[in-house]
Amino acid sequence: MRGDDDLFAIMEEMTGVTTTTTTTKPLIQKSTTTKSKKRNNPNATTTTTTPKVIIFCKESEENVMTKVSTSLANNFNVTNVSFRSTSIPASRLLSTVTSSSNNSIFVVIGSNDSIVNCIENESVSPVLSFSSSEVEEEETEKMALLIAKVCACSSPTVASYVSSYIASKKQSSLIQDAQSHTKSPYYQSQISHVYDAKLQITGDNITFSSSSSSSKNAPVRISGKVRDRFDLGDKLALVTTDRQSGFDRMLALVPFKGQVLNLTSAYWFEMTEHIIPNHIVSVPHGNVSVVKKCTPFPIEFVVR
């Protein structure tokens, strides 16, 4: 087996050109220091600690503040919470304030201007002040949220918990609003009218008014779980009823359900017809779609 030197010699004999080897430096050199890697890596993360919360309150208010502390831990992952008395001696107060880290948040309950002034003058940390009237059982969640929002300013972790909490509360409010709406007399009277007037589209109460559609010539109804199909010759009439099905059986009648389903489908068929042609010819009624006859592709799939 020949080495690199032998190969170079053969090349010189064949070409008459002397071959030399040179050592070149790489165009890009890797940094050998950890500090440079962190500086050049945009995805590098730094560890941040959750702020410490120091609450000054009276002994009679500690039970309520304990609930605030529990809410901070359970909802926002703020666990470093300590209580201090509002009757704290001035020397101890000054020592507490000055020895606390910059990543601290002070909460003062009641009218204690001396404590607030000491914190404002001796510390760079923020201070929240609540009046004694605000310290009530039903206000603990609001107090915890406000404290957590301040903590979120210096902690991305707490910020994510606060965002999730606000989103969940918003969803609960929407549900509560919908439930309240259904209890209003006007809403209940409208729903009662629909049931009393038998305005639900069941499929059994569909008739054809055309003179050419006598009882003998009326289209044959083929009933599915929710929709009914009528053969109109070169077209089909699809009727989306108010039937509510589940487990392959009809469970109830939901007013206007058929119109919501049919009109929602019609809307998206219209919005996407420039992308792919569809079978819709017309929508003469909220529950009815007249469609082209198509050759079925016998594969069903459900997207949820």
Side-chain angles (χ1 to χ4, degrees), residues 210-225:
S210 174
S211 59
S212 61
S213 299
S214 61
S215 59
K216 293 182 180 180
N217 299 325
V220 177
R221 171 192 174 194
I222 300 178
S223 182
K225 291 188 295 183

Side-chain angles (χ1 to χ4, degrees), residues 129-251:
S129 180
F130 296 92
S131 64
S132 298
S133 59
E134 294 179 283
V135 184
E136 299 177 359
E137 295 284 345
E138 59 272 14
E139 299 296 327
T140 55
E141 292 289 334
K142 292 182 179 180
M143 294 179 64
L145 176 59
L146 181 58
I147 296 171
K149 285 184 175 181
V150 178
C151 294
C153 295
S154 59
S155 173
T157 301
V158 178
S160 65
Y161 276 94
V162 171
S163 298
S164 299
Y165 179 85
I166 293 175
S168 65
K169 284 296 182 181
K170 181 179 179 180
Q171 186 64 28
S172 299
S173 299
L174 291 174
I175 295 173
Q176 184 178 359
D177 176 67
Q179 292 175 340
S180 298
H181 179 59
T182 59
K183 296 176 183 178
S184 61
Y186 176 78
Y187 179 89
Q188 293 185 354
S189 66
Q190 293 299 308
I191 294 297
S192 298
H193 169 71
V194 170
Y195 277 109
D196 294 341
K198 298 186 183 300
L199 295 180
Q200 303 99 310
I201 304 299
T202 64
D204 297 325
N205 51 358
I206 297 176
T207 59
F208 288 83
S209 59
S210 174
S211 59
S212 61
S213 299
S214 61
S215 59
K216 293 182 180 180
N217 299 325
V220 177
R221 171 192 174 194
I222 300 178
S223 182
K225 291 188 295 183
V226 173
R227 291 174 176 84
D228 292 345
R229 187 184 74 180
F230 296 86
D231 194 330
L232 305 180
D234 60 335
K235 302 179 183 67
L236 295 174
L238 302 180
V239 180
T240 307
T241 70
D242 293 334
R243 298 194 298 265
Q244 175 66 51
S245 69
F247 306 102
D248 295 325
R249 67 193 66 184
M250 205 266 283
L251 301 177

